[in-house]
Amino acid sequence: MTTRKWLGALMALGCTLATAQEPFPSRPLTLINPWAAGSSTDVMARTLAEEFRKQLGQSVVVVSRDGGSGVIGMNVLAQAPADGLTLAFTPMTPITVQPHYVKGLKLGPDSVQPLCGVTENILGVSVRADSPFKTIGELVAAAKKGSLSYGSPGPNSAPFLAMDQLERDQGLKLVHVPYKGDAGSIQELLAGRLDFVSSIAASAAPQIRAGKLRLLAVASERRHPAFPEVPTFKELGMAVQEESFAGLFVPRGVPEAVLGRLDAACAAAARSDAVRQVAQRGDQVVFHQDRRQWDRRIHDEFRKQGAAAERHAQ
């Protein structure tokens, strides 16, 4: 090897080592919001971005890539470089539910890396304040005598899947009316065109506090802290538990050291007053899950939803 070539090789090696030792992050980060701008997910994403900035010392830019019930944004994430500089914040449904219903979708627990869980959106059943049903038991008893109608965000949504469990557990035959979101079904309920709605409890919370709706039961493991008087289905002996968690994801292949840094930043963000205040204002619950817990949760939920999809297809 000539002296010139040897010096060139040495300089290249030096650059490679410098790059390898470069502290993370050396550039600003991007946080994808796979849902509409201005949504509760967007608001929390922007709060997390600010907390990550404090932890990592780099700005975090939030970009909305909505569409396909979160699928478009998560596909963008899956194709991003595995350098830890691109993240996404979303409810887990684009990864755990949509792949079982959207033909050809290449998303799933192994197409992206679950980083950490941040919040839980507790699901619940609500009726109008003047409804004859004062408890979920009364509603179920009426549904056994005659068909009742309810609204949800659609046949592959978590609120619908909760009612699917209720139908199977209690031997009911409910009339399902799908909408594009919680707002449409709640408006129809208020107009008297539905018997009840299954939705994120937070979506119905303003009308519940205004005395226009009544929350009968929630589908989580524990009661909603904003409505501690409302029981869970599980407490009432009904096999209905459909949880809706939201968290952060990164592309597959991010180096272990970078994942550890991001996981620690997420834990700090979840403990912050800002995240807790935003969650409280939106009637969400901060429910931090570290990388291993979140990864296990996503894989378990994916298998559960796959089994539910197979039942629907029969």
Side-chain angles (χ1 to χ4, degrees):
M1 180 182 290
T2 65
T3 301
R4 180 176 294 177
K5 288 183 177 178
W6 183 82
L7 287 173
L10 187 63
M11 290 176 65
L13 177 62
C15 290
T16 300
L17 290 173
T19 301
Q21 295 171 357
E22 196 173 62
F24 174 83
S26 60
R27 292 182 284 122
L29 290 82
T30 297
L31 178 53
I32 297 170
N33 162 36
W35 303 86
S39 64
S40 59
T41 304
D42 182 46
V43 173
M44 181 57 76
R46 294 179 187 281
T47 307
L48 288 169
E50 175 58 20
E51 293 304 312
F52 268 59
R53 182 195 65 76
K54 295 176 184 177
Q55 295 296 318
L56 300 176
Q58 286 283 358
S59 61
V60 183
V61 180
V62 177
V63 295
S64 291
R65 297 299 298 270
D66 61 316
S69 297
V71 165
I72 290 176
M74 294 308 286
N75 269 324
V76 172
L77 177 75
Q79 296 165 23
D83 53 12
L85 295 175
T86 306
L87 307 89
F89 176 69
T90 179
M92 57 188 179
T93 49
I95 300 300
T96 60
V97 176
Q98 299 291 358
H100 300 297
Y101 295 93
V102 181
K103 185 174 290 187
L105 188 61
K106 296 181 180 179
L107 284 177
D110 296 323
S111 62
V112 293
Q113 171 64 59
L115 178 66
C116 63
V118 181
T119 59
E120 180 183 6
N121 280 312
I122 293 178
L123 311 176
V125 166
S126 302
V127 296
R128 279 171 43 129
D130 59 1
S131 169
F133 311 128
K134 301 295 191 293
T135 67
I136 196 68
E138 292 176 356
L139 186 148
V140 167
K144 287 181 177 179
K145 295 177 182 177
S147 191
L148 298 182
S149 64
Y150 79 96
S152 89
N156 55 351
S157 66
F160 165 80
L161 293 169
M163 292 304 93
D164 179 63
Q165 291 182 33
L166 182 64
E167 284 186 300
R168 287 186 287 107
D169 181 62
Q170 296 294 313
L172 307 180
K173 190 71 174 177
L174 301 169
V175 176
H176 175 228
V177 184
Y179 295 85
K180 289 186 177 180
D182 287 337
S185 63
I186 289 171
Q187 287 304 313
E188 288 295 282
L189 177 64
L190 290 168
R193 288 187 282 270
L194 294 170
D195 293 304
F196 67 97
V197 295
S198 179
S199 72
I200 294 171
S203 299
Q207 303 292 356
I208 295 169
R209 292 195 175 96
K212 296 180 180 179
L213 295 182
R214 181 164 56 247
L215 185 63
L216 299 185
V218 294
S220 58
E221 185 178 352
R222 57 192 64 80
R223 295 188 179 198
H224 198 307
F227 305 102
E229 72 285 358
V230 178
T232 67
F233 283 98
K234 188 176 174 182
E235 286 179 80
L236 300 172
M238 301 181 192
V240 178
Q241 187 170 320
E242 187 67 34
E243 294 162 321
S244 178
F245 294 97
L248 287 164
F249 297 82
V250 294
R252 278 282 168 187
V254 173
E256 187 67 25
V258 173
L259 287 174
R261 186 85 193 278
L262 291 171
D263 196 4
C266 180
R271 291 193 299 267
S272 70
D273 289 339
V275 166
R276 294 187 177 277
Q277 287 168 6
V278 167
Q280 186 174 23
R281 285 199 299 268
D283 289 298
Q284 300 171 331
V285 178
V286 175
F287 194 105
H288 175 251
Q289 299 168 76
D290 65 26
R291 178 159 52 103
R292 287 169 179 79
Q293 292 170 325
W294 186 230
D295 190 273
R296 186 166 57 249
R297 170 85 65 180
I298 295 299
H299 278 84
D300 288 349
E301 189 67 19
F302 182 79
R303 286 189 289 271
K304 171 188 169 184
Q305 298 300 346
E310 287 180 8
R311 286 195 300 270
H312 295 155
Q314 292 173 356

PDB file of all heavy atoms in Angstrom, residues 218-236:
ATOM      1  N   VAL A 218     -67.108   0.850  32.183  1.00  0.00           N
ATOM      2  CA  VAL A 218     -65.891   0.998  31.387  1.00  0.00           C
ATOM      3  C   VAL A 218     -65.283  -0.373  31.133  1.00  0.00           C
ATOM      4  O   VAL A 218     -65.459  -1.309  31.920  1.00  0.00           O
ATOM      5  CB  VAL A 218     -64.861   1.926  32.071  1.00  0.00           C
ATOM      6  CG1 VAL A 218     -65.401   3.349  32.138  1.00  0.00           C
ATOM      7  CG2 VAL A 218     -64.494   1.427  33.462  1.00  0.00           C
ATOM      8  N   ALA A 219     -64.541  -0.469  30.017  1.00  0.00           N
ATOM      9  CA  ALA A 219     -64.033  -1.767  29.560  1.00  0.00           C
ATOM     10  C   ALA A 219     -62.575  -1.998  29.918  1.00  0.00           C
ATOM     11  O   ALA A 219     -61.931  -2.879  29.361  1.00  0.00           O
ATOM     12  CB  ALA A 219     -64.215  -1.882  28.047  1.00  0.00           C
ATOM     13  N   SER A 220     -62.053  -1.219  30.847  1.00  0.00           N
ATOM     14  CA  SER A 220     -60.652  -1.358  31.238  1.00  0.00           C
ATOM     15  C   SER A 220     -60.512  -2.306  32.422  1.00  0.00           C
ATOM     16  O   SER A 220     -61.498  -2.801  32.975  1.00  0.00           O
ATOM     17  CB  SER A 220     -60.080   0.010  31.610  1.00  0.00           C
ATOM     18  OG  SER A 220     -60.838   0.572  32.655  1.00  0.00           O
ATOM     19  N   GLU A 221     -59.271  -2.510  32.823  1.00  0.00           N
ATOM     20  CA  GLU A 221     -59.013  -3.370  33.979  1.00  0.00           C
ATOM     21  C   GLU A 221     -59.392  -2.674  35.278  1.00  0.00           C
ATOM     22  O   GLU A 221     -59.792  -3.308  36.245  1.00  0.00           O
ATOM     23  CB  GLU A 221     -57.533  -3.766  34.012  1.00  0.00           C
ATOM     24  CG  GLU A 221     -57.187  -4.761  35.105  1.00  0.00           C
ATOM     25  CD  GLU A 221     -55.741  -5.181  35.086  1.00  0.00           C
ATOM     26  OE1 GLU A 221     -55.021  -4.829  34.131  1.00  0.00           O
ATOM     27  OE2 GLU A 221     -55.312  -5.868  36.033  1.00  0.00           O
ATOM     28  N   ARG A 222     -59.270  -1.346  35.279  1.00  0.00           N
ATOM     29  CA  ARG A 222     -59.570  -0.563  36.489  1.00  0.00           C
ATOM     30  C   ARG A 222     -60.497   0.597  36.131  1.00  0.00           C
ATOM     31  O   ARG A 222     -60.619   0.951  34.955  1.00  0.00           O
ATOM     32  CB  ARG A 222     -58.283  -0.056  37.140  1.00  0.00           C
ATOM     33  CG  ARG A 222     -57.438   0.782  36.219  1.00  0.00           C
ATOM     34  CD  ARG A 222     -56.055   1.035  36.784  1.00  0.00           C
ATOM     35  NE  ARG A 222     -55.300  -0.186  36.914  1.00  0.00           N
ATOM     36  CZ  ARG A 222     -54.675  -0.782  35.897  1.00  0.00           C
ATOM     37  NH1 ARG A 222     -54.756  -0.270  34.682  1.00  0.00           N
ATOM     38  NH2 ARG A 222     -53.990  -1.868  36.072  1.00  0.00           N
ATOM     39  N   ARG A 223     -61.116   1.193  37.142  1.00  0.00           N
ATOM     40  CA  ARG A 223     -62.048   2.295  36.903  1.00  0.00           C
ATOM     41  C   ARG A 223     -61.329   3.537  36.378  1.00  0.00           C
ATOM     42  O   ARG A 223     -60.139   3.727  36.615  1.00  0.00           O
ATOM     43  CB  ARG A 223     -62.789   2.642  38.202  1.00  0.00           C
ATOM     44  CG  ARG A 223     -63.681   1.527  38.709  1.00  0.00           C
ATOM     45  CD  ARG A 223     -64.538   1.983  39.875  1.00  0.00           C
ATOM     46  NE  ARG A 223     -65.419   0.912  40.357  1.00  0.00           N
ATOM     47  CZ  ARG A 223     -66.498   1.112  41.108  1.00  0.00           C
ATOM     48  NH1 ARG A 223     -66.839   2.347  41.462  1.00  0.00           N
ATOM     49  NH2 ARG A 223     -67.235   0.088  41.497  1.00  0.00           N
ATOM     50  N   HIS A 224     -62.097   4.364  35.684  1.00  0.00           N
ATOM     51  CA  HIS A 224     -61.558   5.627  35.171  1.00  0.00           C
ATOM     52  C   HIS A 224     -61.407   6.591  36.352  1.00  0.00           C
ATOM     53  O   HIS A 224     -62.380   6.842  37.072  1.00  0.00           O
ATOM     54  CB  HIS A 224     -62.509   6.222  34.134  1.00  0.00           C
ATOM     55  CG  HIS A 224     -61.887   7.258  33.256  1.00  0.00           C
ATOM     56  ND1 HIS A 224     -61.213   8.362  33.752  1.00  0.00           N
ATOM     57  CD2 HIS A 224     -61.814   7.363  31.905  1.00  0.00           C
ATOM     58  CE1 HIS A 224     -60.774   9.098  32.763  1.00  0.00           C
ATOM     59  NE2 HIS A 224     -61.124   8.515  31.620  1.00  0.00           N
ATOM     60  N   PRO A 225     -60.213   7.149  36.570  1.00  0.00           N
ATOM     61  CA  PRO A 225     -60.017   8.047  37.722  1.00  0.00           C
ATOM     62  C   PRO A 225     -60.900   9.289  37.688  1.00  0.00           C
ATOM     63  O   PRO A 225     -61.204   9.851  38.741  1.00  0.00           O
ATOM     64  CB  PRO A 225     -58.533   8.413  37.642  1.00  0.00           C
ATOM     65  CG  PRO A 225     -58.120   8.100  36.244  1.00  0.00           C
ATOM     66  CD  PRO A 225     -58.976   6.960  35.810  1.00  0.00           C
ATOM     67  N   ALA A 226     -61.338   9.717  36.494  1.00  0.00           N
ATOM     68  CA  ALA A 226     -62.222  10.888  36.401  1.00  0.00           C
ATOM     69  C   ALA A 226     -63.665  10.537  36.744  1.00  0.00           C
ATOM     70  O   ALA A 226     -64.456  11.420  37.063  1.00  0.00           O
ATOM     71  CB  ALA A 226     -62.151  11.497  35.006  1.00  0.00           C
ATOM     72  N   PHE A 227     -63.986   9.230  36.684  1.00  0.00           N
ATOM     73  CA  PHE A 227     -65.349   8.775  36.977  1.00  0.00           C
ATOM     74  C   PHE A 227     -65.275   7.553  37.900  1.00  0.00           C
ATOM     75  O   PHE A 227     -65.648   6.436  37.512  1.00  0.00           O
ATOM     76  CB  PHE A 227     -66.090   8.432  35.679  1.00  0.00           C
ATOM     77  CG  PHE A 227     -66.104   9.558  34.680  1.00  0.00           C
ATOM     78  CD1 PHE A 227     -65.242   9.551  33.586  1.00  0.00           C
ATOM     79  CD2 PHE A 227     -66.962  10.643  34.845  1.00  0.00           C
ATOM     80  CE1 PHE A 227     -65.241  10.587  32.671  1.00  0.00           C
ATOM     81  CE2 PHE A 227     -66.971  11.688  33.935  1.00  0.00           C
ATOM     82  CZ  PHE A 227     -66.111  11.666  32.848  1.00  0.00           C
ATOM     83  N   PRO A 228     -64.790   7.758  39.116  1.00  0.00           N
ATOM     84  CA  PRO A 228     -64.530   6.622  40.018  1.00  0.00           C
ATOM     85  C   PRO A 228     -65.782   5.863  40.451  1.00  0.00           C
ATOM     86  O   PRO A 228     -65.682   4.735  40.924  1.00  0.00           O
ATOM     87  CB  PRO A 228     -63.846   7.283  41.219  1.00  0.00           C
ATOM     88  CG  PRO A 228     -64.304   8.713  41.185  1.00  0.00           C
ATOM     89  CD  PRO A 228     -64.436   9.044  39.729  1.00  0.00           C
ATOM     90  N   GLU A 229     -66.949   6.463  40.263  1.00  0.00           N
ATOM     91  CA  GLU A 229     -68.196   5.798  40.661  1.00  0.00           C
ATOM     92  C   GLU A 229     -68.687   4.806  39.604  1.00  0.00           C
ATOM     93  O   GLU A 229     -69.591   4.000  39.863  1.00  0.00           O
ATOM     94  CB  GLU A 229     -69.289   6.843  40.917  1.00  0.00           C
ATOM     95  CG  GLU A 229     -69.864   7.531  39.686  1.00  0.00           C
ATOM     96  CD  GLU A 229     -68.955   8.583  39.052  1.00  0.00           C
ATOM     97  OE1 GLU A 229     -67.848   8.826  39.600  1.00  0.00           O
ATOM     98  OE2 GLU A 229     -69.349   9.165  38.025  1.00  0.00           O
ATOM     99  N   VAL A 230     -68.085   4.835  38.406  1.00  0.00           N
ATOM    100  CA  VAL A 230     -68.532   3.978  37.307  1.00  0.00           C
ATOM    101  C   VAL A 230     -67.757   2.662  37.343  1.00  0.00           C
ATOM    102  O   VAL A 230     -66.528   2.655  37.280  1.00  0.00           O
ATOM    103  CB  VAL A 230     -68.325   4.677  35.947  1.00  0.00           C
ATOM    104  CG1 VAL A 230     -68.741   3.758  34.803  1.00  0.00           C
ATOM    105  CG2 VAL A 230     -69.114   5.983  35.904  1.00  0.00           C
ATOM    106  N   PRO A 231     -68.452   1.526  37.409  1.00  0.00           N
ATOM    107  CA  PRO A 231     -67.754   0.233  37.519  1.00  0.00           C
ATOM    108  C   PRO A 231     -67.172  -0.248  36.200  1.00  0.00           C
ATOM    109  O   PRO A 231     -67.547   0.227  35.121  1.00  0.00           O
ATOM    110  CB  PRO A 231     -68.862  -0.716  37.990  1.00  0.00           C
ATOM    111  CG  PRO A 231     -70.108  -0.135  37.385  1.00  0.00           C
ATOM    112  CD  PRO A 231     -69.922   1.363  37.435  1.00  0.00           C
ATOM    113  N   THR A 232     -66.262  -1.198  36.285  1.00  0.00           N
ATOM    114  CA  THR A 232     -65.780  -1.895  35.099  1.00  0.00           C
ATOM    115  C   THR A 232     -66.736  -3.052  34.804  1.00  0.00           C
ATOM    116  O   THR A 232     -67.437  -3.538  35.691  1.00  0.00           O
ATOM    117  CB  THR A 232     -64.375  -2.462  35.310  1.00  0.00           C
ATOM    118  OG1 THR A 232     -64.422  -3.507  36.303  1.00  0.00           O
ATOM    119  CG2 THR A 232     -63.393  -1.387  35.772  1.00  0.00           C
ATOM    120  N   PHE A 233     -66.762  -3.504  33.552  1.00  0.00           N
ATOM    121  CA  PHE A 233     -67.554  -4.688  33.210  1.00  0.00           C
ATOM    122  C   PHE A 233     -67.086  -5.881  34.044  1.00  0.00           C
ATOM    123  O   PHE A 233     -67.888  -6.692  34.498  1.00  0.00           O
ATOM    124  CB  PHE A 233     -67.391  -5.019  31.719  1.00  0.00           C
ATOM    125  CG  PHE A 233     -68.187  -4.138  30.800  1.00  0.00           C
ATOM    126  CD1 PHE A 233     -67.605  -3.054  30.170  1.00  0.00           C
ATOM    127  CD2 PHE A 233     -69.525  -4.402  30.555  1.00  0.00           C
ATOM    128  CE1 PHE A 233     -68.340  -2.249  29.312  1.00  0.00           C
ATOM    129  CE2 PHE A 233     -70.277  -3.617  29.703  1.00  0.00           C
ATOM    130  CZ  PHE A 233     -69.681  -2.525  29.078  1.00  0.00           C
ATOM    131  N   LYS A 234     -65.776  -5.946  34.226  1.00  0.00           N
ATOM    132  CA  LYS A 234     -65.174  -7.067  34.945  1.00  0.00           C
ATOM    133  C   LYS A 234     -65.707  -7.150  36.375  1.00  0.00           C
ATOM    134  O   LYS A 234     -66.012  -8.237  36.881  1.00  0.00           O
ATOM    135  CB  LYS A 234     -63.649  -6.882  34.942  1.00  0.00           C
ATOM    136  CG  LYS A 234     -62.854  -8.049  35.468  1.00  0.00           C
ATOM    137  CD  LYS A 234     -61.366  -7.738  35.314  1.00  0.00           C
ATOM    138  CE  LYS A 234     -60.510  -8.806  35.962  1.00  0.00           C
ATOM    139  NZ  LYS A 234     -59.071  -8.488  35.848  1.00  0.00           N
ATOM    140  N   GLU A 235     -65.842  -5.991  37.024  1.00  0.00           N
ATOM    141  CA  GLU A 235     -66.387  -5.954  38.385  1.00  0.00           C
ATOM    142  C   GLU A 235     -67.805  -6.515  38.442  1.00  0.00           C
ATOM    143  O   GLU A 235     -68.217  -7.087  39.453  1.00  0.00           O
ATOM    144  CB  GLU A 235     -66.419  -4.510  38.906  1.00  0.00           C
ATOM    145  CG  GLU A 235     -65.089  -3.923  39.286  1.00  0.00           C
ATOM    146  CD  GLU A 235     -65.256  -2.494  39.754  1.00  0.00           C
ATOM    147  OE1 GLU A 235     -65.641  -2.293  40.918  1.00  0.00           O
ATOM    148  OE2 GLU A 235     -65.034  -1.566  38.948  1.00  0.00           O
ATOM    149  N   LEU A 236     -68.542  -6.339  37.361  1.00  0.00           N
ATOM    150  CA  LEU A 236     -69.937  -6.760  37.314  1.00  0.00           C
ATOM    151  C   LEU A 236     -70.102  -8.201  36.827  1.00  0.00           C
ATOM    152  O   LEU A 236     -71.216  -8.655  36.571  1.00  0.00           O
ATOM    153  CB  LEU A 236     -70.729  -5.807  36.406  1.00  0.00           C
ATOM    154  CG  LEU A 236     -70.720  -4.338  36.848  1.00  0.00           C
ATOM    155  CD1 LEU A 236     -71.363  -3.463  35.797  1.00  0.00           C
ATOM    156  CD2 LEU A 236     -71.427  -4.170  38.188  1.00  0.00           C
TER     157      LEU A 236
END
